[in-house]
Amino acid sequence: AKMADSTRAMRRSIFERDILPAFRNRLLPEILPEDLRALCAKVKERGAPATAVYVPGNVEGGFGFAILHGGKGAKPAGGG
C-alpha cells in the first residue's frame, strides 16, 4: 500500500528500535499474544505510549507479509 514517506520512516524506526530486538531470534509461531502485550508495556514504560499504540499494527503487518509469502503462524494480535 502507498503511504507517506514520513509514515514509512516512522514504521521502520519502530521496527528497528523496538520490534526487531525483541523478536529477532524467534520463529513466527513462537511469538504469542502475551509477548506482544509485554513489548507494548515495555515501550509504554520507557515513556513512549504513542509508539506503543503502533507496535501491534507493525507486528501484524509483518505477520501478514510472512503469511502471504508462505509463512506459518497465527497473528499474535488476532485476525488470522
Side-chain angles (χ1 to χ4, degrees):
K2 290 193 172 210
M3 64 180 74
D5 290 341
S6 60
T7 302
R8 181 175 284 109
M10 183 223 15
R11 287 183 180 191
R12 181 178 301 279
S13 175
I14 292 169
F15 175 77
E16 291 174 353
R17 181 184 55 239
D18 298 305
I19 298 168
L20 186 59
F23 300 136
R24 177 185 311 267
N25 297 319
R26 312 239 329 249
L27 299 173
L28 291 179
E30 296 174 341
I31 301 173
L32 304 175
E34 52 267 23
D35 300 321
L36 185 55
R37 284 191 298 272
L39 177 58
C40 290
K42 181 179 176 182
V43 171
K44 186 177 177 183
E45 287 171 9
R46 78 153 198 260
T51 299
V53 170
Y54 288 102
V55 168
N58 282 14
V59 171
E60 288 297 300
F63 265 78
F65 179 85
I67 291 168
L68 181 66
H69 290 86
K72 304 292 184 218
K75 295 179 183 179

